[in-house]
Amino acid sequence: MIKQSKIDRIILELEYAINTLHGNHKLEDSSKFTENSKDINRKDVKISQGIMRVNHMGEVCAQGLYRGQAAFTDDKKVREKLYEMCDEEREHLNMCKTRLDELSGKSSVFNGVWYASSFLLGVFAGVSKRQFGAGFIEETEKQVSTHLDQSIEKLPDSDKRSKEMLMHIKEDEEKHKTTAQKMGSEEIPEIMKNFMDKTSSLMKKITYYL
Ligand SMILES: [Fe+2]
Ligand SMILES: [Fe+2]
């Protein structure tokens, strides 16, 4: 295997970030979900757009967080697991973007900022001790799971397709939580959990509209 220099790795991360933010993300096969209905009224479409924009932003952040952690952890096993999870999160990203496009919704104008801040949090998780690193993954997936429940609840009944997509994503996030537990995760400090919760709440509020 060719050894990558620091510059190579920085370029690779920048390319990955640009692709996450501006790539053409399309779900290859969405036939397992209820077909896209044209009968959703304008008010419901507006609600669905906001909710799917928030969930798309969440998947952008998941990419940033795990890429940042993978780039800075010196634990080979954790790094491999994080890259594996990034691939699975990629499907979520494609799913949310596909649905957002179908609803004629726009992705968040702040996604670049959200990605960068998540990457930094990932760096912090990467350089902290191994058990905390896995603890960050577990806490993230736990908070994402709760958020998904709230999103599914808030989606209008007329938008079955978005609901089914989020339910599918939730199943995967639950698996990620178990993966982190198996990695020997240690609970991260309460102050850190609160910080993650408060910042994500603020990000969600802004992203719902912008
Ligand atoms: Fe995800
Ligand atoms: Fe996940």
Side-chain angles (χ1 to χ4, degrees), residues 86-103:
C86 266
D87 285 343
E88 286 175 27
E89 300 285 0
R90 207 81 186 158
E91 197 209 1
H92 301 172
L93 186 76
N94 294 346
M95 211 179 280
C96 290
K97 185 68 172 69
T98 300
R99 189 61 190 139
L100 200 51
D101 289 343
E102 286 171 358
L103 293 159

Side-chain angles (χ1 to χ4, degrees), residues 59 62 66 85 89 92 141 144 172-173 176:
E59 297 302 337
Y66 295 151
M85 282 163 68
E89 300 285 0
H92 301 172
E141 299 293 346
V144 167
D172 285 347
E173 311 296 14
H176 292 163

